[in-house]
Every structure is written in C-alpha cells, then in structure tokens.
Amino acid sequence: MTGQYDVLIKNIGQLLTMDHGDGPIRGEKMAQAPMIEKAALAIKDGKIAWMGKTTEAVSLTADKTIDAEGKLVTPGLVDPHTHLVFGGSREQEMALKQQGVPYLEILKRGGGILSTVKATREATEEQLLEKASFHLDRILSYGVTTMEAKSGYGLEKETELKQLRVVKKLNEQHPIDLVSTFLGAHAIPPEYKENPDAFLQEMLDLLPLIEKEGLAEFVDIFSETGVFTVEQARGYLLKAKEMGFDVKIHADEINPLGGTEMAVEVGARSGEHLVGASDKGIGMLGTSETIAVLLPGTCFYLNKDSYAKAREMIEAGAAVALSTDFNPGSSPTENLQLIMNLAALKMKMTPEEIWNSVTVNAAYAINRGESAGKIAPGRQADIVLWDVPNYHYVPYHYGVNHVNTVWKAGKLVYGKEREDEQVYTS
Ligand code: IZC
Ligand code: ZN
C-alpha cells in the first residue's frame, strides 16, 4: 500500500526548525533556536509536507516510516566559505609552521597559496573533479547540504575557469547544492609581483565570460598584508558589483587593515574572517546587511591567540555565520561540527547562536536564505538526523561525527539506513 507521504520521521526529541520568519538572524533572535519538541515530520516529492507533534501524526501513513528514537533533527547545515577545488596538498608545510614560520611568510617565499596554484594549474579538470568530489562526499557526511565553493588557485584565465567549471559540474552531479564564487584575486602571481593592479584588471576582464557561462554568483578578494590592499580591494569589488556580481571579502584575517569597514561600505553580502575587526568595524557590521562569516578553524590551525570577537559582534547586532574555510593551507578540514565546537570554546558563542550561524545566517551569506537553512512546510527537505539527545550536544562533544542520516531534497544521501533506500552514487 502506498502511503500519503514518501517518508515520515516520528519520535523526534527536538525538531530544530530554525524558522524565525524572514531575513538573517541578529540581536535577541540570535539567542533563540526555534523548535518543536516530541515532533514528527513528513516528506513528499522532495519537500516538507507536514510537521507537528508525534501525537498528531498517529494516523499519517508513509512509504517509509523512521523512528528517530528521541534524537535531534535539524535543517541540513550550510557551509558558506570553502576553497573546495584545488590540486595537491600542503602537509610538507607543517614542519615550517612548527618552526614558527608564519602563514604570510610561507606565502612570501612562494609556498602557501602559490604552491597550491602550481598544483592546480598542473591538474586536469577530471583530476580536480575527482578530488573535489571526494571532499564533497565527506562534507556531506558531516551534515552539510548547501555550501559555497571558491576558485582562486589559478590566478590566470584557464585555470580559474577550470576550477569554476568543476564547481558547476559538481553542482549538477552531487547532492550538495553549490554556490560558486570567483576568487581570482586570491594572491599576486609571481609574474605580476611588480604590477598587482594590472593583475586585478586581468581578473576583472574575465567577469563578462564568467557571467555568460553562469560560472559564479559572487566575486571575492583576499585583502591582506603582502596580498591586496584595502583600497585595491575596494576598487575591485565596486567594479565587480557594477558588472552585476554580489561581493564578498577575505578581510582582517591575519592583520587588522580596515577591511571590515570597507566590506560594509561597499555593501558586501559578507565579510569573512574579521579576526582583526576594529571596534568601529564591528559597530558598522551591527547596522548593516553585511553578514559576518567567522572561520575559527583558521585561528586554531594557525595557532593564533585571538579569535574573531563574536560576542561583541552579536551584541552590536551583527548577523553572524560560521564556516569551515575548508582549504589545503589554513584549514584542512571538512568538519563543520568541529567549527561549532571551536565557536563554543574559543568565541564563547551559545548553542543557539551557533545553530543560527550554521543554518539561516550561513544560507543568507550565500544568497540561499529563501531555500536553505530552515525546516518549514513547502521547503525543500534538506534534513539531518543526529545521534544526539538535544541541540546543545553537538557543540559540546567534539572531534567525532554525530550525523546519523542526511536527506537532500527528500532523498536519502548519507546514513546508516542507506541499504533500504535509493542510494546516491558518485
Ligand atoms: O590556500 O591558504 N587564507 N586563503 C586566504 C586561504 C587562507 C587559503 C589557502
Ligand atoms: Zn578563505
């Protein structure tokens, strides 16, 4: 007999809907995690068809009924800042790091980002696709169903386009929804060392083609000592905006240069890192639409003493999001749950603030606020069932994967019950 619904999940201890209504979450709402306790949820045709109390679900029928055994169910997580597509790896730089050679000094010596550029230029599109697909499967296993992916390891036309085409293909092939960002301005390539402005112009000249092929929605730039100045970044992003792109910026990651203020001034969708954000910059974030995407994995991995001032930002009224910054140099991890732990331990964020930061606000940071990061009737069913008793538990118990099952658009794409279902194969 066919049921009314495709899937019915009963006996959910806490169903974290994260549905606060419209818009990014800031102010008092950051302290709330909207949920239904003792809940049930039904999926039909890939969408959330019904949600309520388990006691109200007794007469509902479905092709497959799952007993959640009192565990947690949440929206699929959203990771709004990753460098997903790259060649090679940088484990050989670990010894330099241990000797105290700073991240920017490694870059200055031609390593760091530039060593990944070399490996990415040498890789074929198929090799990059296979490697990124491997990482993507792992990201999915940690509960992420929507994420951003940047280029930036080509620093010349063909390789940048190659990376962006890989993201486009993976978006079509893989269950995770990918949002693409052009980060051609990620470092100054050696051939332009004396003329960074000419390099930036060359990257801007690629935008019409990127737009025509639908290869990116966002344009990003790394503003940092030894990379691009805040003023170079401002000019670059304003031109990208004029050409119809939304913009993001890697700002105040290592040194405080005023990139946070500039992000707000140019109307960036998000400012990312913001470790060295000034008090003025934090105040400006609080009264702007620019989302503060914090990446504590990089501070941890680069062994920094200070982290982004999340508490001050939230108190100022900023919409805060969290991300892995998955990349081969400063944050080699696919595990967004570990970032949730670091947000709690190192930035003193509360569980409610953390969940808002990896769902609703992360989705708005990549222009997917209307389709990802929430559980609500009629929305695409991107859902995670966790092996934990409540939502406080995930930021608390660190270093392991708590995900039991992931559904993307109602389809089971990762989990212990995969044998019974149609399984995704890459
Ligand atoms: O490959 O090091 N910070 N870009 C800016 C990165 C980190 C990625 C990398
Ligand atoms: Zn980054």
Side-chain angles (χ1 to χ4, degrees):
M1 198 188 81
T2 41
Q4 290 166 282
Y5 299 106
D6 299 332
V7 181
L8 177 63
I9 312 173
K10 285 184 173 178
N11 291 326
I12 300 168
Q14 294 179 335
L15 173 61
L16 220 56
T17 65
M18 303 314 292
D19 189 4
H20 300 258
D22 289 337
I25 307 308
R26 56 179 80 243
E28 284 170 12
K29 278 190 175 176
M30 278 298 282
Q32 295 159 17
M35 69 164 162
I36 307 172
E37 284 181 285
K38 298 191 174 141
L41 170 80
I43 301 171
K44 188 159 179 71
D45 299 332
K47 300 214 158 91
I48 313 279
W50 183 90
M51 49 197 259
K53 294 274 185 190
T54 290
T55 49
E56 296 161 355
V58 278
S59 61
L60 305 186
T61 59
D63 295 349
K64 184 168 177 66
T65 300
I66 290 157
D67 183 352
E69 299 169 342
K71 293 173 182 173
L72 174 70
V73 169
T74 73
L77 304 183
V78 180
D79 192 340
H81 178 139
T82 82
H83 303 250
L84 173 71
V85 183
F86 56 87
S89 53
R90 311 228 286 263
E91 64 275 24
Q92 69 288 348
E93 287 174 11
M94 180 60 100
L96 287 174
K97 285 192 176 118
Q98 287 166 334
Q99 289 156 24
V101 184
Y103 173 84
L104 289 176
E105 176 58 29
I106 296 174
L107 176 61
K108 210 168 156 192
R109 295 182 192 176
I113 296 173
L114 293 175
S115 86
T116 303
V117 167
K118 188 166 177 290
T120 308
R121 286 179 180 178
E122 283 166 5
T124 64
E125 191 170 315
E126 291 67 37
Q127 286 167 334
L128 291 178
L129 188 117
E130 199 180 315
K131 188 171 161 66
S133 183
F134 171 83
H135 295 299
L136 215 43
D137 285 347
R138 197 179 270 162
I139 290 169
L140 179 71
S141 80
Y142 284 103
V144 171
T145 51
T146 301
M147 62 183 264
E148 186 244 24
K150 301 176 194 294
S151 67
Y153 293 122
L155 313 182
E156 49 85 22
K157 180 177 175 184
E158 290 314 322
T159 312
E160 288 294 322
L161 294 178
K162 183 168 71 178
Q163 282 190 274
L164 293 174
R165 289 189 183 119
V166 167
V167 176
K168 190 171 183 178
K169 277 199 187 142
L170 284 170
N171 187 37
E172 288 157 9
Q173 293 175 6
H174 196 277
I176 294 186
D177 279 327
L178 289 168
V179 176
S180 182
T181 296
F182 173 60
L183 177 60
H186 191 194
I188 304 168
E191 53 275 26
Y192 281 92
K193 214 169 174 180
E194 305 309 323
N195 200 353
D197 290 317
F199 173 67
L200 288 178
Q201 188 55 49
E202 191 177 310
M203 292 298 104
L204 283 173
D205 289 344
L206 296 179
L207 290 182
L209 181 60
I210 288 171
E211 153 124 84
K212 192 163 141 239
E213 286 195 33
L215 288 175
E217 271 178 58
F218 287 97
V219 170
D220 190 351
I221 185 166
F222 186 22
S223 172
E224 186 55 75
T225 309
V227 192
F228 300 105
T229 67
V230 169
E231 285 321 306
Q232 281 170 327
R234 184 195 303 273
Y236 183 81
L237 294 179
L238 286 174
K239 285 193 191 127
K241 274 192 99 175
E242 272 170 31
M243 295 167 91
F245 290 86
D246 277 341
V247 300
K248 305 183 159 290
I249 171 169
H250 281 69
D252 297 334
E253 174 181 356
I254 316 250
N255 294 317
L257 302 178
T260 308
E261 290 92 318
M262 190 274 280
V264 174
E265 282 160 7
V266 302
R269 183 84 286 250
S270 58
E272 328 236 328
H273 289 287
L274 316 182
V275 179
S278 66
D279 291 345
K280 182 173 169 227
I282 291 173
M284 286 170 72
L285 281 171
T287 52
S288 78
E289 298 293 313
T290 300
I291 295 180
V293 177
L294 309 184
L295 310 155
T298 62
C299 299
F300 174 71
Y301 200 74
L302 299 180
N303 220 359
K304 298 284 176 192
D305 295 329
S306 58
Y307 285 68
K309 293 178 182 159
R311 288 253 57 81
E312 282 90 331
M313 290 178 192
I314 292 167
E315 270 147 40
V320 169
L322 286 163
S323 166
T324 55
D325 193 11
F326 172 60
N327 77 70
S330 64
S331 191
T333 183
E334 295 93 340
N335 185 350
L336 189 54
Q337 295 169 45
L338 178 61
I339 303 307
M340 296 167 78
N341 303 126
L342 292 175
L345 291 166
K346 302 289 189 182
M347 303 197 295
K348 301 192 168 44
M349 289 174 70
T350 67
E352 293 78 12
E353 290 164 351
I354 290 168
W355 281 101
N356 280 309
S357 300
V358 294
T359 57
V360 185
N361 283 355
Y364 277 104
I366 53 172
N367 287 351
R368 291 297 182 278
E370 303 309 316
S371 57
K374 268 180 210 178
I375 295 177
R379 280 223 175 197
Q380 181 167 291
D382 295 355
I383 288 172
V384 180
L385 169 62
W386 301 80
D387 277 324
V388 305
N390 56 62
Y391 72 85
H392 288 73
Y393 196 96
V394 180
Y396 144 76
H397 184 143
Y398 89 112
V400 297
N401 186 2
H402 296 290
V403 167
N404 178 297
T405 309
V406 182
W407 290 267
K408 177 68 187 179
K411 196 173 148 197
L412 204 146
V413 287
Y414 172 83
K416 293 174 186 164
E417 290 171 293
R418 273 192 288 189
E419 292 76 25
D420 318 336
E421 299 261 343
Q422 201 187 353
V423 181
Y424 158 72
T425 44
S426 57

